[in-house]
Amino acid sequence: MGKIRSIGGFNVMSGRPSRQDKVYVRTNKKTGVTHTVAMTNPRTTISANQKHSANAFSLVIPAISQWIRENKAANSAEYQIVKKMFDEQNRYSMLRGYMYSKGMYVVSEDKQSVVVDINARTDFKSAFGIRNAEEE
């Protein structure tokens, strides 16, 4: 079931209205923009490239989350820099997503570990060797 919240005096909903519906509603908390998506043709199989991408994503996101948690608690200078850049934009609603999209991480040579570096601008697909759908 969806959740109803009040943002700026308006009631907004996120999630699914009911378990039978295939309509999802999400509100960006930072900007207040609401997106609605209807699932019409869900995928039934996952390609090897999609599995590889999901595995790579599962390396990056926990590393960024841990960096945010540690540096926020320590109130480090690097955290203040990233937070200032995040606050100056309105496209991304979460700091973790902002850092991921800007490529603020470095991938090891064996592609098994990730280190957060706020000055890095890593391209996710090229760092992990993920091919586009057109290349397959």
Side-chain angles (χ1 to χ4, degrees):
M1 296 294 278
K3 296 179 184 175
I4 297 179
R5 279 190 295 281
S6 177
I7 296 178
F10 296 105
N11 287 333
V12 295
M13 192 186 94
S14 66
R16 293 192 303 181
S18 72
R19 292 186 179 176
Q20 289 75 31
D21 283 342
K22 292 185 179 183
V23 176
Y24 295 84
V25 180
R26 181 180 178 273
T27 301
N28 184 323
K29 294 176 190 175
K30 187 170 184 175
T31 62
V33 176
T34 301
H35 303 279
T36 305
V37 176
M39 294 292 286
T40 55
N41 296 310
R43 70 174 183 214
T44 56
T45 61
I46 298 175
S47 70
N49 203 28
Q50 289 171 328
K51 286 181 186 176
H52 180 62
S53 181
N55 290 339
F57 187 77
S58 69
L59 285 175
V60 175
I61 292 301
I64 291 175
S65 295
Q66 181 181 2
W67 184 91
I68 291 171
R69 204 170 26 256
E70 291 171 356
N71 285 278
K72 184 177 183 180
N75 200 18
S76 69
E78 284 186 330
Y79 177 77
Q80 294 300 323
I81 292 168
V82 173
K83 183 72 171 138
K84 184 176 184 281
M85 289 189 302
F86 172 71
D87 290 340
E88 290 172 351
Q89 58 84 38
N90 62 3
R91 181 173 183 179
Y92 303 97
S93 62
M94 295 180 65
L95 181 60
R96 182 183 62 212
Y98 175 74
M99 291 178 70
Y100 167 75
S101 68
K102 297 300 178 186
M104 295 183 180
Y105 54 88
V106 178
V107 180
S108 66
E109 289 293 323
D110 62 354
K111 297 178 178 38
Q112 297 300 314
S113 64
V114 174
V115 177
V116 175
D117 178 7
I118 66 167
N119 297 315
R121 295 297 178 258
T122 305
D123 179 51
F124 181 77
K125 287 185 176 184
S126 62
F128 285 101
I130 297 170
R131 295 175 294 162
N132 291 331
E134 301 87 38
E135 295 174 4
E136 292 182 341

